[in-house]
Amino acid sequence: MEPLLSAGRGAGADLVEVFLERTDHLGVLAEQDTITNVSPALGMGAGIRVFLGERDGFVSTNDLSAAGLMAALDQALGMLALVRSVPDRSPFEGLPGLRDFGAAKLDWLDRCPDLREATHRLLEGTDRLQRHGSHLQARRGSYARDWQEVLVAASDGTFARDIRLHQSVGLNVLAADGDHRAGVGRRYGTSGRPDDLRQWNAETSAQEVCASASTMLYADYVEAGQCPVVLANRFGGVIFHEACGHLLETTQVERGTTPFADRVGSAIAHEAVTAIDEGLSDGAFGSLSMDDEGMEPQRTVLIENGVLQRFLSDRAGERRTGHARTGSGRRQSHSFAAASRMRNTYIAAGPHTPAELIASVDRGLYCKAMGGGSVGPTGQFNFAVEEGYLIENGELTKPVKGATLIGEAKEVMPRISMCADDLELAAGFCGSVSGSIFVTVGQPHIKVDSITVGGR
Amino acid sequence: MTRSPSGLDAETLRSRLDQMAARSGIRQWDLGAACSTDTSVQVDRGEAKQMKGAQRSSITVRVWNDDGLVGITSTSDLSDAGLERALAGASEASAFGNADDIPAFSPLATAPLQPLDQPIKDPVSILDLLATLKDAEHQLLESHPAIDTVPYNGLAQRSSDRIYLNSAGACRQQQLTTASLYLYARAEEAGRKPRSAGAVRLAYGAADLDIAGCIEEAAGLTASHLDYAPIETGRYTCVFSPEAFLDLIGAFSNLFNARAVLDGVSLSNRESLGESLAVPFLDLHDHGRHPGNIGASAFDGEGTPTARLALLEGGVLRHFLHSEATARAFGVAPTGHAGMGAKVSVGPDWFEIGPTPGSGGGQQGLNRFTAADPIVWIDSLSALHAGVKASQGSFSLPFDGWLLRRGERRSIEAATVAGDIRQVLKAIVGFEGEPQITPDGVCPHVWVEGLSITGEA
């Protein structure tokens, strides 16, 4: 590491960062009552990033030999028109002692369920689906275990190592009865808990999936238009993630694609809304001991009572926008440069009960389970409703399907007018400029006064 | 066998695997390998934003154990130790192979390969890429006073190698160079919402990219969305751009996927072959070898040669996409659409959509600019990963497009289009214009009647 950092600084780079990675992935798929796919994958590689002012060059490689790494450094330097000097006249004085966040995690991989145990647990899941479901045409259970060891060294004195462990279990069914079809899936995930799959409650998970499929199988399509919506807790938090969270990353400030760039200290949301992003919640999917730039994560209050407090920032974001780093530099793997990304992002609990939110709506939509979503370059967002119900005269009535919620962050955030007292988090994946990463979304039940519901 | 620019050599790799497998007592194995080198640049208002380079390598190895069960492992560590570890992992995984569905070597893995006309282009320096992209960004920013940034842009080039080997003597290798340019501009006028649009171009080398065309298309599209208005919710006749219609068909490709049929998650079933799925003037082929397909594969993940395959002819379902295992289950030949796995995935390659020869292609003389009734022109669909229920047939998707009234077009503010793919295929009115080559396939503009549009009006 030190020769690379020294050579980079000697060539004139302001800062050199090296990210080393080793991964051990296991994926298992069960269909009906059979294990149909077991797919281990082993990975290793390095990402080298060189900064000169606000510019940077990034090179990734699977060649971890000394020559391979130096060639990658040379390529990164060349992108900034820098060349290694001989002899090395680097001002770099060496790395400090290693901050080893992984020292207590060395046995994590061994403590995870082995392949045999994982397959047994998955088959238990698909068996439970069969017991609780009806009209099931397909049953699937999937398990993923991602172990990652990272080492980050930078010429500013960063020298840190960590071990990460993520496990997730998904159950999916396709129910079919004549022309009626319903595909329902749920995924459960944690980080840093080797025993997670053993602790997973297959019975409860299967009941939840089958109940949803049974309800949605005969549901009518939602009527399109504008209406108030109540979004359930847990994965309902994807609305904040997509509608606003991405726009509070310095990556968006750099691009000029957030409407909130100069709004720190201003009201951008209803006063009922306080929103937080952190990497600290125990076992949450987006939790970190350190980010992918070696910084310990902070609890970052993004919005407090509707007022924008700060942005999520990484190293490049700090250099280019002036927003101080928040331990939010994240990347899927060594082949991506880190970028400011969300970790565990949630809207804080409010004073109401979920029943009060529903009772406040004469005619609207209750979104119990959300699908994925996305946000466009001008702040338009959208996300799918997996399980929805009509609200009529303050009560939940019939289930509806096929809804997509669309809108713009600037318009929707002021319309989140009520928050309930039942905050819960849910595991998910987020894809953006630095790849697909583990994140948590969350919220209590919230009410949006008006939003466009796409349907038929 | 040609030695590749990335240093991957099929014969050397075979020799190493042969020796390792023999030491481990493995008699049957196959391997897929890929290596690539990439360089790319992004700019921001005349300055380099990020320049990237990547050297990637990966190998996936499958082994059959003494019980005939298959295990698989992937690795990016191509050292002997890494390969040994991958073989050991695959052997361990093979104990959990599915005895009811055992993949075999493709019977076509040693069949002759028809060559593809894919010129290998030398890479240009990354500083040349940067200069080219800076100039493109400058031209785009100058093209319209409302265009203030090009927040998403990139110019990239790649050199890659693919290899397929198996212990029965198959040896495939393909080298390819490609380049891509994308420009997504953002425009804003006083008192109005920001709007954005963009364009993409592909070529075999960076010097061959149609940069002027990409700038012109991105500028024209972005400007055309400045004068936007909400649309009333209702049912409209829609005209899909080639890109949008190809995206929609791609999202529902499980209609044609034999693996999905066997798994019970397709909208089709074994008896669907021969059924009429669409209007009688629609042809749909999978044609990965089309000359317009930059990045065409000569063989699939099992070494099967790629080929043009009729999926719909005259609206009738003719064939499914197959791997070796699904083809065996259906009693047909593999079609060249397999991935590689213990359970082999199957997927489409590149679609060719158009009128059935001799059918007339539906209503004649369609022209969205002269239509009497309001027409919704859907230029691009968003959020397909979230808004498509592939196994249910339904979709609800945000889109960018225009409302056309008596020849005048006005951009549509945030709206969604919703429907069922089976109804869409039966509600095609006809085609407009010549088929256009896109990154995902070739297709003309497609008219579909009676689709549900949700707007904010």
Side-chain angles (χ1 to χ4, degrees):
Chain A
M1 290 288 208
E2 288 188 333
L4 288 169
L5 302 178
S6 180
R9 287 286 282 129
D14 292 339
L15 188 136
V16 182
E17 177 196 78
V18 181
F19 177 89
L20 287 178
E21 174 191 43
R22 199 157 55 109
T23 60
D24 187 325
H25 167 87
L26 175 64
V28 184
L29 177 67
E31 293 175 280
Q32 323 309 350
D33 299 303
T34 305
I35 297 297
T36 56
N37 205 5
V38 173
S39 52
L42 309 166
M44 56 191 294
I48 298 177
R49 194 172 193 180
V50 176
F51 284 91
L52 185 64
E54 294 184 1
R55 298 163 57 198
D56 72 273
F58 175 77
V59 174
S60 63
T61 180
N62 293 130
D63 182 354
L64 298 189
S65 68
L69 292 172
M70 198 57 82
L73 173 68
D74 284 341
Q75 189 181 0
L77 291 170
M79 293 171 180
L80 304 176
L82 300 175
V83 179
R84 260 193 294 151
S85 59
V86 179
D88 184 356
R89 295 194 179 89
S90 170
F92 179 65
E93 296 178 350
L95 289 167
L98 179 71
R99 286 186 304 142
D100 194 349
F101 297 97
K105 308 172 185 176
L106 296 175
D107 63 347
W108 273 7
L109 186 57
D110 293 333
R111 287 169 51 200
C112 288
D114 63 15
L115 197 43
R116 188 166 302 279
E117 186 175 1
T119 60
H120 285 164
R121 291 250 56 201
L122 268 195
L123 291 173
E124 185 185 341
T126 56
D127 176 68
R128 294 292 192 278
L129 290 173
Q130 177 70 357
R131 292 189 198 184
H132 294 293
S134 60
H135 301 293
L136 298 187
Q137 184 165 308
R139 293 173 281 134
R140 283 188 176 184
S142 59
Y143 167 67
R145 184 215 63 210
D146 287 277
W147 179 92
Q148 180 195 40
E149 180 182 18
V150 301
L151 185 65
V152 183
S155 58
D156 65 353
T158 302
F159 190 34
R161 171 177 176 267
D162 196 15
I163 288 173
R164 288 86 176 262
L165 174 66
H166 293 87
Q167 293 181 89
S168 65
V169 185
L171 291 180
N172 294 70
V173 296
L174 175 63
D177 183 13
D179 288 338
H180 298 284
R181 282 180 163 232
V184 172
R186 297 283 188 277
R187 180 157 288 277
Y188 315 87
T190 62
S191 67
R193 292 181 176 172
D195 267 349
D196 181 59
L197 185 62
R198 297 188 184 103
Q199 305 299 326
W200 170 57
N201 191 324
E203 177 75 12
T204 303
S205 299
Q207 285 178 357
E208 184 182 359
V209 170
C210 290
S212 180
S214 177
T215 300
M216 298 311 294
L217 182 58
Y218 303 106
D220 289 334
Y221 283 97
V222 71
E223 185 179 332
Q226 283 80 44
C227 65
V229 299
V230 174
L231 292 147
N233 57 357
R234 300 183 67 219
F235 207 64
V238 73
I239 187 174
F240 182 78
H241 181 101
E242 298 295 353
C244 191
H246 278 296
L247 301 177
L248 300 181
E249 297 165 342
T250 50
T251 308
Q252 302 271 1
V253 179
E254 293 174 40
R255 292 179 188 276
T257 49
T258 172
F260 304 128
D262 56 358
R263 300 293 304 277
V264 172
S266 304
I268 65 166
H270 194 282
E271 63 185 11
V273 175
T274 292
I276 294 151
D277 183 278
E278 45 88 348
L280 309 169
S281 292
D282 182 31
F285 220 35
S287 290
L288 305 162
S289 296
M290 65 174 217
D291 73 0
D292 290 321
E293 296 177 327
M295 180 177 180
E296 290 181 63
Q298 298 176 346
R299 181 177 185 273
T300 308
V301 177
L302 300 169
I303 298 170
E304 189 164 25
N305 299 326
V307 177
L308 178 60
Q309 302 296 312
R310 67 181 301 175
F311 284 83
L312 298 174
S313 186
D314 63 328
R315 192 191 292 281
E318 183 177 70
R319 296 177 79 90
R320 291 172 181 151
T321 70
H323 292 284
R325 291 167 67 191
T326 51
S328 305
R330 301 190 65 192
R331 54 183 124 198
Q332 177 181 327
S333 70
H334 67 276
S335 61
F336 294 86
S340 56
R341 302 288 296 274
M342 285 175 270
R343 301 156 298 188
N344 306 312
T345 315
Y346 52 87
I347 294 177
H352 304 286
T353 66
E356 288 172 345
L357 271 60
I358 294 167
S360 73
V361 175
D362 286 337
R363 183 169 180 79
L365 181 67
Y366 176 65
C367 305
K368 183 176 180 182
M370 308 303 301
S374 65
V375 61
T378 57
Q380 329 94 309
F381 68 83
N382 59 79
F383 49 101
V385 181
E386 296 284 358
E387 184 178 348
Y389 298 82
L390 290 183
I391 305 174
E392 296 173 300
N393 301 317
E395 293 185 353
L396 299 187
T397 57
K398 66 175 187 175
V400 289
K401 63 185 176 185
T404 298
L405 306 187
I406 61 173
E408 289 201 42
K410 265 200 313 190
E411 295 176 350
V412 166
M413 293 307 296
R415 298 180 192 160
I416 300 176
S417 61
M418 296 175 77
C419 295
D421 55 2
D422 58 345
L423 169 65
E424 282 197 44
L425 307 181
F429 297 90
C430 172
S432 187
V433 290
S434 59
S436 177
I437 58 173
F438 305 96
V439 297
T440 300
V441 298
Q443 63 177 35
H445 275 75
I446 64 168
K447 176 189 171 188
V448 183
D449 290 338
S450 178
I451 198 167
T452 300
V453 179
R456 279 197 251 175
Chain B
M1 186 60 61
T2 308
R3 185 170 179 82
S4 73
S6 61
L8 202 62
D9 179 82
E11 292 297 350
T12 304
L13 200 52
R14 167 192 293 288
S15 173
R16 289 167 65 194
L17 257 294
D18 271 337
Q19 293 171 24
M20 290 176 194
R23 283 199 297 271
S24 304
I26 296 168
R27 288 189 289 273
Q28 185 177 353
W29 57 267
D30 68 356
L31 172 151
C35 283
S36 64
T37 57
D38 302 68
T39 49
S40 63
V41 293
Q42 291 179 16
V43 298
D44 181 15
R45 284 156 285 195
E47 296 295 329
K49 176 173 168 53
Q50 187 167 73
M51 296 192 279
K52 294 174 71 174
Q55 172 275 318
R56 296 186 178 90
S57 54
S58 65
I59 279 184
T60 300
V61 61
R62 289 193 300 190
V63 304
W64 281 253
N65 67 17
D66 290 341
D67 297 325
L69 302 178
V70 176
I72 187 167
T73 293
S74 299
T75 182
S76 61
D77 181 358
L78 305 195
S79 67
D80 281 353
L83 288 175
E84 296 267 19
R85 206 169 157 215
L87 270 176
S91 288
E92 183 190 3
S94 68
F96 299 89
N98 181 6
D100 297 328
D101 186 10
I102 301 176
F105 292 157
S106 167
L108 300 177
T110 54
L113 276 187
Q114 295 300 313
L116 286 163
D117 182 17
Q118 294 174 317
I120 301 295
K121 301 287 186 173
D122 289 331
V124 301
S125 80
I126 195 164
L127 296 179
D128 286 343
L129 290 181
L130 179 62
T132 301
L133 187 59
K134 277 184 181 177
D135 183 53
E137 186 205 35
H138 175 72
Q139 290 186 54
L140 186 48
L141 290 171
E142 291 292 304
S143 67
H144 194 285
I147 296 179
D148 52 2
T149 59
V150 188
Y152 294 89
N153 64 70
L155 178 52
Q157 59 186 0
R158 164 176 285 199
S159 173
S160 61
D161 294 87
R162 290 174 61 227
I163 285 176
Y164 175 80
L165 304 170
N166 71 30
S167 55
C171 183
R172 309 284 202 199
Q173 184 161 9
Q174 181 182 12
Q175 296 176 18
L176 183 67
T177 58
T178 57
S180 63
L181 169 69
Y182 65 93
L183 298 168
Y184 280 80
R186 179 184 185 277
E188 189 166 5
E189 291 183 320
R192 308 227 70 194
K193 294 179 182 177
R195 307 289 281 172
S196 72
V200 178
R201 292 292 186 275
L202 303 178
Y204 290 108
D208 305 323
L209 286 164
D210 174 19
I211 294 167
C214 192
I215 295 167
E216 183 180 6
E217 183 181 341
L221 285 173
T222 307
S224 74
H225 287 300
L226 286 168
D227 181 26
Y228 63 87
I231 186 172
E232 283 190 26
T233 296
R235 290 193 177 275
Y236 294 82
T237 294
C238 297
V239 182
F240 285 85
S241 71
E243 291 89 345
F245 196 73
L246 286 161
D247 277 347
L248 193 63
I249 294 295
F252 288 100
S253 63
N254 78 7
L255 276 163
F256 314 112
N257 187 318
R259 183 74 264 169
V261 170
L262 292 174
D263 290 348
V265 294
S266 170
L267 293 169
S268 302
N269 56 51
R270 276 176 172 270
E271 288 69 47
S272 298
L273 290 173
E275 287 183 357
S276 175
L277 285 191
V279 288
F281 51 82
L282 178 70
D283 267 16
L284 194 163
H285 289 76
D286 189 278
H287 190 190
R289 299 178 65 86
H290 189 285
N293 182 15
I294 304 292
S297 296
F299 53 90
D300 72 1
E302 298 178 322
T304 302
T306 51
R308 186 170 186 257
L309 179 71
L311 300 173
L312 296 177
E313 285 180 323
V316 174
L317 183 62
R318 294 298 186 198
H319 297 98
F320 289 127
L321 306 166
H322 284 290
S323 66
E324 177 282 327
T326 65
R328 189 157 30 94
F330 278 76
V332 298
T335 59
H337 294 92
M340 185 186 232
K343 173 175 180 166
V344 178
S345 61
V346 176
D349 202 346
W350 204 79
F351 289 126
E352 184 179 44
I353 297 174
T356 302
S359 69
Q363 288 186 23
Q364 303 297 295
L366 292 172
N367 184 335
R368 57 195 178 279
F369 297 104
T370 59
D373 295 327
I375 299 285
V376 171
W377 178 3
I378 296 175
D379 188 51
S380 64
L381 298 167
S382 305
L384 287 110
H385 68 288
V388 166
K389 307 295 179 201
S391 59
Q392 299 174 47
S394 60
F395 61 89
S396 179
L397 297 167
F399 69 93
D400 285 334
W402 304 272
L403 179 65
L404 292 159
R405 292 178 192 272
R406 292 174 294 280
E408 292 190 6
R409 71 173 177 175
R410 187 159 197 198
S411 178
I412 297 170
E413 194 177 358
T416 64
V417 57
D420 183 289
I421 190 63
R422 293 160 294 193
Q423 291 172 4
V424 167
L425 291 172
K426 294 283 191 182
I428 295 174
V429 175
F431 305 105
E432 178 185 336
E434 293 298 312
Q436 295 174 16
I437 291 172
T438 80
D440 298 317
V442 56
C443 183
H445 281 78
V446 182
W447 285 54
V448 180
E449 62 185 3
L451 283 176
S452 176
I453 302 287
T454 303
E456 292 186 339

